[in-house]
Amino acid sequence: MLTSLVFAFPWLIWFSMFGTLVNDSFKKEQKRYPRVRTAYAEQEQRMLEVLATKSVRAEELEIYIRAFKADKKLELWGKNRTDTSFKLLKVFEVCQTSGKLGPKRMQGDLQIPEGFYHIDRFNPYSTFYLSLGINYPNQSDRILGRQGNLGGDIFIHGSCVTIGCLPIQDDPIKALYLYCIEAKNNGQQNIPVTIFPTELTTENYNALKEQFASETANLALWEALKKDYDLFNQSQQLSNITFLSDGKHRVCTDN
């Protein structure tokens, strides 16, 4: 059967080999950097142990990151590619925050963004040891933010200083960086990152609505984040996020 498939579809073997080479090349490229090699030496075995306790295979790993500003924590969720739901792998402390509750709208406002993002850069020689770039400004930010002065370069990184980033110190960023390398090396092109103002329990959400009753743009974002928060907590599955032309979001599930 395999032989007949290869003769009938010779691109299958090319695709398999090429896909493996592409994926392997990312991990190999990252391991050229001393800090990444140090991270693997110090954190790889622990990562494999964590994955094993959750019945997740390193070669099948997909991940999802949730951050909560007021709670100063970052959750790492993972699953096998063939699984339907994520499992909580680790919780990292965000050791420093800046700004206040609410999204980032301009350069220099010290705000940590809020909303739906993804990892768009791996920086193995960061000023803050290692760093993972977040794709701020996203489509919504470009509509609702200060035109021509949105700012950028928002990262999850080491050390413990921030003017809008999410610092988790050096040892934790070594661990998180490895999980992200492994997921990307497995072919996960989009590692989603959702940043919340706080844990959006009913109590917290109602408090936000009362405290910020006049800030309609914030409330619209928090309404979308609340829906995503509830859907994920119920199913441990990612929501389907659509960016709308007015900067708002449609949040739903495919189930």
Side-chain angles (χ1 to χ4, degrees), residues 77 79 109 130 157 172-173 176 178 194 210 225 252-253:
W77 295 76
K79 71 177 185 70
D109 63 4
L130 297 166
H157 60 63
I173 194 61
L176 180 61
L178 257 59
T194 309
E210 181 177 348
L225 285 169
C252 60
T253 177

Side-chain angles (χ1 to χ4, degrees), residues 1-250:
M1 174 65 75
L2 178 59
T3 301
S4 62
L5 280 173
V6 170
F7 279 113
F9 303 100
W11 54 268
L12 283 174
I13 189 168
W14 176 88
F15 178 82
S16 176
M17 293 175 63
F18 183 74
T20 300
L21 287 172
V22 168
N23 289 342
D24 286 349
S25 69
F26 178 74
K27 185 173 178 178
K28 289 177 181 177
E29 173 67 21
Q30 286 289 309
K31 291 182 79 171
R32 292 175 52 207
Y33 298 97
R35 293 176 186 176
V36 178
R37 293 198 298 273
T38 297
Y40 269 95
E42 295 179 1
Q43 300 286 343
E44 183 176 22
Q45 186 57 40
R46 177 56 182 155
M47 176 186 70
L48 294 175
E49 291 171 358
V50 169
L51 293 177
T53 64
K54 303 293 184 177
S55 300
V56 177
R57 299 177 295 279
E59 65 274 14
E60 294 286 324
L61 177 65
E62 289 188 353
I63 60 175
Y64 168 48
I65 296 169
R66 300 202 304 180
F68 302 92
K69 287 165 52 170
D71 308 277
K72 297 177 72 172
K73 69 176 182 178
L74 186 151
E75 296 177 346
L76 174 66
W77 295 76
K79 71 177 185 70
N80 296 303
R81 281 182 292 187
T82 54
D83 293 341
T84 57
S85 58
F86 285 86
K87 301 173 184 178
L88 182 62
L89 302 180
K90 290 181 71 70
V91 178
F92 299 92
E93 177 189 0
V94 176
C95 65
Q96 186 68 260
T97 59
S98 63
K100 58 184 180 180
L101 298 185
K104 183 175 182 63
R105 291 295 182 231
M106 60 178 291
Q107 184 172 358
D109 63 4
L110 304 182
Q111 287 294 96
I112 298 169
E114 294 175 15
F116 304 98
Y117 299 93
H118 62 264
I119 299 296
D120 67 351
R121 284 160 289 169
F122 288 71
N123 186 354
Y125 45 84
S126 170
T127 302
F128 305 107
Y129 199 77
L130 297 166
S131 61
L132 298 160
I134 295 171
N135 71 314
Y136 171 87
N138 65 18
Q139 186 175 337
S140 176
D141 300 321
R142 293 181 187 278
I143 295 169
L144 298 176
R146 180 75 60 84
Q147 299 302 308
N149 192 31
L150 292 168
D153 289 336
I154 302 297
F155 291 87
I156 303 169
H157 60 63
S159 190
C160 195
V161 295
T162 183
I163 53 173
C165 295
L166 291 164
I168 60 173
Q169 303 196 65
D170 290 356
D171 282 341
I173 194 61
K174 293 175 190 175
L176 180 61
Y177 200 91
L178 257 59
Y179 283 97
C180 290
I181 287 177
E182 293 296 321
K184 186 172 176 63
N185 203 58
N186 293 337
Q188 185 179 3
Q189 296 303 310
N190 181 21
I191 298 174
V193 180
T194 309
I195 306 176
F196 298 85
T198 185
E199 288 264 15
L200 288 180
T201 62
T202 300
E203 180 181 1
N204 287 347
Y205 180 55
N206 288 338
L208 284 175
K209 288 196 296 181
E210 181 177 348
Q211 182 179 354
F212 297 91
S214 63
E215 301 188 24
T216 56
N218 286 10
L219 294 176
L221 173 61
W222 292 337
E223 181 180 5
L225 285 169
K226 169 63 171 169
K227 186 170 184 179
D228 175 74
Y229 177 86
D230 289 341
L231 287 172
F232 185 81
N233 284 354
Q234 292 162 12
S235 67
Q236 284 73 59
Q237 297 179 27
L238 296 179
S239 303
N240 185 10
I241 310 297
T242 302
F243 290 86
L244 305 177
S245 60
D246 60 358
K248 295 181 181 179
H249 307 80
R250 180 181 299 114

